[in-house]
Amino acid sequence: MKRLYFFIIGAFSLVGLWAIYYRLTEGLKMTALTSNVSWGLWVVFYIFFIGLSAGSFLLSTMVYVFNMKQYEKIGKVALLSAFFSLVAGLMFIFIDLGHPERFWHALVYRQPTSILSWEIHFYLIYMLIIVAELWFLLREDISRLVIKAKGFKKFVFKLVSIGYSIPDNSEKLERDRKQTHKWMKILGIIGIPTAIGVHAGTGSLFGVIVAKHMWNSGLTPILFLVSALVSGAALMLLLYALLVPKEKQDNTMLKSLGGLLILFIAVDLLIVAAKYLVGLYNYVPDERQVLLNMMFGERWYIFWVGQIMLGAIIPILLLSIKKGSSTLKALAGLSTILGIFCVRWNLVVPAYLESPMPGLETAFVHDRLLFEYTPNLFEWITSLGLISIVILLFSLALNSLPIMETKEGKEDNGETADGVQAI
Amino acid sequence: MEEKKITRKKFVITSLLGTLGLVAGELIRQSHSIDNIENEVDTENKKYGMVIDLDRCIGCNACTIACKQENNTPPNIHYNVVIEKEEGEFPNVYNSFLPRVCMQCDKPPCVKVCPVGATKKQKNGIVSIDYETCIGCRYCMTACPYGARSFDFGENYYDQPNTFEASPYQEYDKIYQRGKGKAPQNSVRKCHFCSHRVDKGELPACVTACLGKARFFGDLNDPNSEVSIKAKGSWTLKSNLGTKPRTFYLGEKRDD
């Protein structure tokens, strides 16, 4: 079963590598983008994954900053998925650049007036914080793995442990654990505003654009942030229900995660309602028309089926079944994540489909000057491939590191004692 | 309870620190802000502007063709377009024409968002793009309220180009020639008032080509220039966005 899984996901990853190669050699003409719809599917995935990352990270701080012990079991997996989601988001924005080979320009030719320039720095700081947190959190486990593993695996683990080896007596171990605890808190405290900056900032990318009336609102960054929390909580619910064996699952944990998800969805719906209803009230054409097209136009289903059904109604119904099994909870999480993808789509693409100047759409007709956008097969394959690569890396990390186990759980098995004695 | 209090305190401190960080960031941004650069009145340099008299435009698109020829733009790139609309009700119908070039805004939203500073407001008032710096993120295209920017997808760069496609052409201060993978492919391109011609003292190609003499071009810093005189009583597109365009229109005002 596990082998089959890795085989399939590995095959998809190879497709992803091919697609990246093809994209890098052939350029953006492989996409269905036009000069007027300048951002498409890849940018949708980029903000989707950055949101997933920020959401997961903020959930992990509940454990490490706010000491909510009941969520401790998802702390590690939250941080790990925050890391890999960020990697996925950055990969998507990388292949979306017209000149990916010049990505370093953003770090060298800084531009203080550009939010995108600030964001790139935020992403890097944020990534460093996550990596540092993960290292502190896992160093003990990894150094134990270094001792156990052999050959290539040992080398990899040694590399990842950055020279940390487990102390030889329990007193020092206790001291190191305390140090870890302290550092987790400090990094988490720095991390909270950074994570908020990462995703609210990504929302501001859109919020400041005066040319697109639909985005140009103070609510846009807030909407990004809240939907990030929704997707983060949904991912945690999905991962916990999926990865932890049924007999070991903690029902109160599932319940409280579900409650949290419902709360976030409710706040998200409130903000969406506020933003869209206010937008629909007046007759500002490039706001009202965009919203009408989005809700009742050709692609009405992305809003009603995707954003509302999958993203809100289905998860709330599934989670409110009193004796719902963990499979139902996992489904609720999955459905929310798909719904949030639709939210991201509707945040980006519809605003482009209205001509900024009436008549411009017929002034000069060409395939690359249309106000229409449907992602082509290549864009979908590339996206699928990139996501597979990240899922593969994530699965490998999950498979080789004790992410889903907690300290208490291990002490029950007597592993900690063994580990210390072995040294 | 005791522990909770500390948590709350830390939470407050965190939020404060976060806010402080954001404010500091905003301050830094403001201090470097484009507005400050713009407010320095520069009378020594020329500041180019264009006036388009809609009452004289006959919609012949000579400007579009002259522009394509001058800048050797592939079919999917447009610097100059003429927006054509049927107006009025039968039997009193007429066509209205609105030539749209880059507005060369004094407060260009596209320049403000560029993450690498590849697109700049030059001292002579022209908004330029550095094809060697542009990373092709297309954020500026999103920010332009006039749809004046196009992305060079690298199409129509054939292995065996025809004589027009193969001919070298100048943009800004560099000579380019179409070829696979060569600049300005995968960058954003836009109208630059034919800055290479203007630097030589020539008029932009569209102004030269205009049949009805609907276009006027010159130095807006010189109050006696033809363009300055014509610009009096003119209007600009989407003036409510505060972009302060340097392309002015004469004739019946259009709201868009």
Side-chain angles (χ1 to χ4, degrees):
Chain A
M1 193 60 191
K2 215 172 203 174
R3 278 213 171 153
L4 185 70
Y5 168 77
F6 274 107
F7 179 74
I8 292 173
I9 210 85
F12 275 115
S13 304
L14 284 178
V15 173
L17 286 177
W18 166 81
I20 293 171
Y21 169 76
Y22 211 49
R23 150 72 190 87
L24 292 181
T25 48
E26 290 296 310
L28 280 180
K29 65 167 167 260
M30 300 307 300
T31 66
L33 292 168
T34 74
S35 278
N36 293 314
V37 186
S38 58
W39 282 350
L41 185 69
W42 291 343
V43 171
V44 173
F45 271 118
Y46 148 69
I47 59 172
F48 171 75
F49 278 111
I50 297 287
L52 209 54
S53 173
S56 309
F57 182 85
L58 289 175
L59 285 184
S60 84
T61 60
M62 290 195 314
V63 183
Y64 302 114
V65 179
F66 300 109
N67 283 329
M68 295 184 185
K69 285 269 187 312
Q70 69 268 34
Y71 295 115
E72 196 161 15
K73 281 173 198 152
I74 54 151
K76 286 178 188 171
V77 76
L79 269 180
L80 200 71
S81 62
F83 176 75
F84 283 106
S85 303
L86 182 65
V87 169
L90 293 180
M91 272 164 85
F92 271 106
I93 204 63
F94 175 75
I95 60 159
D96 190 63
L97 292 179
H99 282 287
E101 79 280 7
R102 295 183 187 162
F103 76 94
W104 53 273
H105 282 197
L107 299 171
V108 179
Y109 307 116
R110 288 204 179 82
Q111 187 73 356
T113 57
S114 169
I115 299 203
L116 191 52
S117 178
W118 282 89
E119 275 312 297
I120 290 160
H121 294 86
F122 256 117
Y123 295 153
L124 290 181
I125 295 169
Y126 175 62
M127 189 176 244
L128 286 179
I129 289 173
I130 299 181
V131 168
E133 278 204 29
L134 276 174
W135 180 74
F136 272 116
L137 205 58
L138 295 173
R139 58 179 186 176
E140 192 186 316
D141 297 323
I142 292 174
S143 73
R144 211 169 271 140
L145 283 170
V146 172
I147 297 155
K148 271 190 206 161
K150 279 187 187 86
F152 179 68
K153 259 191 174 174
K154 191 181 180 108
F155 174 73
V156 172
F157 283 134
K158 216 166 192 171
L159 212 65
V160 176
S161 72
I162 326 180
Y164 177 84
S165 60
I166 203 159
D168 45 9
N169 63 51
S170 53
E171 211 171 280
K172 275 187 186 165
L173 184 67
E174 210 44 50
R175 192 202 60 197
D176 275 6
R177 279 184 181 167
K178 266 199 182 130
Q179 192 195 20
T180 296
H181 197 69
K182 196 181 91 189
W183 272 104
M184 287 303 291
K185 203 159 198 168
I186 294 172
L187 287 169
I189 287 174
I190 307 170
I192 290 172
T194 316
I196 292 175
V198 158
H199 208 56
T202 308
S204 314
L205 283 184
F206 296 85
V208 296
I209 297 302
V210 76
K212 306 269 187 280
H213 213 100
M214 184 209 166
W215 299 343
N216 194 218
S217 141
L219 268 183
T220 309
I222 309 294
L223 185 60
F224 267 65
L225 200 58
V226 175
S227 43
L229 284 171
V230 173
S231 61
L235 183 67
M236 286 314 109
L237 190 64
L238 175 66
L239 288 177
Y240 187 79
L242 211 64
L243 294 175
V244 178
K246 278 219 167 87
E247 60 277 7
K248 276 192 190 169
Q249 269 170 8
D250 177 0
N251 252 328
T252 47
M253 169 80 164
L254 276 172
K255 252 190 199 139
S256 68
L257 263 181
L260 206 61
L261 181 56
I262 292 181
L263 175 76
F264 288 149
I265 289 177
V267 179
D268 196 40
L269 278 181
L270 189 68
I271 295 175
V272 167
K275 189 171 154 62
Y276 290 3
L277 289 178
V278 168
L280 283 171
Y281 188 80
N282 289 313
Y283 293 87
V284 181
D286 52 352
E287 175 146 28
R288 187 183 155 86
Q289 202 49 49
V290 167
L291 288 173
L292 283 177
N293 279 350
M294 187 176 99
M295 291 179 194
F296 308 109
E298 206 187 331
R299 302 231 174 99
W300 57 273
Y301 48 87
I302 298 180
F303 181 80
W304 293 108
V305 178
Q307 203 169 332
I308 300 295
M309 284 293 283
L310 288 174
I313 294 176
I314 291 179
I316 288 178
L317 284 181
L318 285 179
L319 289 172
S320 35
I321 299 173
K322 269 216 169 124
K323 280 182 184 157
S325 67
S326 66
T327 322
L328 279 184
K329 297 226 152 65
L331 272 178
L334 186 65
S335 150
T336 316
I337 290 171
L338 290 175
I340 291 293
F341 173 73
C342 296
V343 171
R344 301 300 185 210
W345 174 278
N346 273 341
L347 279 168
V348 177
V349 179
Y352 283 106
L353 304 180
E354 266 319 285
S355 166
M357 309 236 293
L360 187 62
E361 63 277 13
T362 50
F364 200 107
V365 182
H366 189 277
D367 280 355
R368 292 291 186 194
L369 298 171
L370 294 175
F371 287 90
E372 283 162 28
Y373 175 68
T374 312
N376 62 18
L377 194 63
F378 181 75
E379 282 174 272
W380 283 112
I381 290 177
T382 311
S383 307
L384 198 70
L386 279 189
I387 295 169
S388 300
I389 293 174
V390 174
I391 291 182
L392 178 69
L393 293 174
F394 183 61
S395 310
L396 283 176
L398 274 182
N399 205 26
S400 46
L401 296 170
I403 297 290
M404 295 310 286
E405 292 155 37
T406 52
K407 261 178 216 151
E408 297 94 78
K410 259 196 272 164
E411 262 151 13
D412 288 345
N413 301 339
E415 262 186 45
T416 317
D418 284 350
V420 176
Q421 275 164 17
I423 307 153
Chain B
M1 207 52 212
E2 198 61 28
E3 211 180 86
K4 256 197 175 164
K5 254 184 195 160
I6 297 168
T7 327
R8 202 172 299 147
K9 202 169 164 189
K10 276 193 176 146
F11 178 70
V12 172
I13 292 171
T14 313
S15 337
L16 279 179
L17 275 177
T19 327
L20 213 73
L22 287 177
V23 171
E26 188 57 36
L27 281 178
I28 296 167
R29 194 178 305 165
Q30 280 303 325
S31 67
H32 286 75
S33 163
I34 192 166
D35 305 321
N36 299 340
I37 304 164
E38 278 303 312
N39 286 339
E40 291 167 15
V41 181
D42 187 2
T43 44
E44 297 205 345
N45 281 295
K46 288 190 171 172
K47 188 168 186 181
Y48 294 117
M50 191 183 280
V51 175
I52 301 175
D53 189 344
L54 297 181
D55 291 341
R56 302 187 74 148
C57 175
I58 58 170
C60 65
N61 264 310
C63 46
T64 312
I65 291 163
C67 172
K68 283 223 146 288
Q69 210 160 27
E70 178 65 32
N71 294 300
N72 202 318
T73 50
N76 55 355
I77 306 281
H78 61 74
Y79 289 179
N80 179 96
V81 293
V82 181
I83 295 173
E84 199 175 324
K85 265 195 284 187
E86 269 176 39
E87 287 187 54
E89 250 174 70
F90 182 79
N92 299 317
V93 270
Y94 61 96
N95 264 1
S96 77
F97 304 108
L98 181 79
R100 197 242 40 216
V101 290
C102 172
M103 301 293 137
Q104 318 288 357
C105 307
D106 262 357
K107 306 276 182 210
C110 52
V111 171
K112 206 167 184 172
V113 300
C114 178
V116 295
T119 181
K120 282 200 184 81
K121 177 88 176 161
Q122 300 294 344
K123 276 191 175 162
N124 62 10
I126 291 172
V127 175
S128 66
I129 300 176
D130 182 350
Y131 297 144
E132 273 69 41
T133 312
C134 175
I135 55 172
C137 70
R138 312 185 298 290
Y139 194 13
C140 53
M141 304 174 65
T142 303
C144 177
Y146 307 99
R149 289 172 168 253
S150 357
F151 186 74
D152 197 332
F153 283 91
E155 281 163 335
N156 304 96
Y157 287 77
Y158 306 114
D159 289 333
Q160 281 167 330
N162 62 29
T163 38
F164 168 67
E165 288 163 349
S167 57
Y169 60 100
Q170 195 177 359
E171 280 193 77
Y172 308 107
D173 48 3
K174 283 200 184 74
I175 309 273
Y176 293 97
Q177 190 174 14
R178 278 200 219 177
K180 263 206 162 172
K182 276 196 209 161
Q185 277 178 71
N186 296 319
S187 297
V188 177
R189 301 175 68 176
K190 65 181 272 297
C191 158
H192 41 77
F193 278 175
C194 288
S195 61
H196 52 284
R197 284 171 64 101
V198 171
D199 286 345
K200 284 185 275 183
E202 294 170 19
L203 287 170
C206 56
V207 179
T208 313
C210 184
L211 290 188
K213 279 224 161 202
R215 292 184 181 229
F216 306 92
F217 180 83
D219 181 11
L220 287 169
N221 275 345
D222 174 6
N224 299 320
S225 68
E226 190 184 20
V227 76
S228 296
I229 295 163
K230 285 275 180 191
K232 280 171 196 153
S234 64
W235 47 274
T236 55
L237 286 174
K238 297 195 181 187
S239 52
N240 59 331
L241 297 184
T243 52
K244 300 201 172 162
R246 284 294 154 257
T247 301
F248 303 92
Y249 290 91
L250 289 173
E252 195 194 337
K253 181 159 169 39
R254 318 264 168 83
D255 283 334
D256 27 80

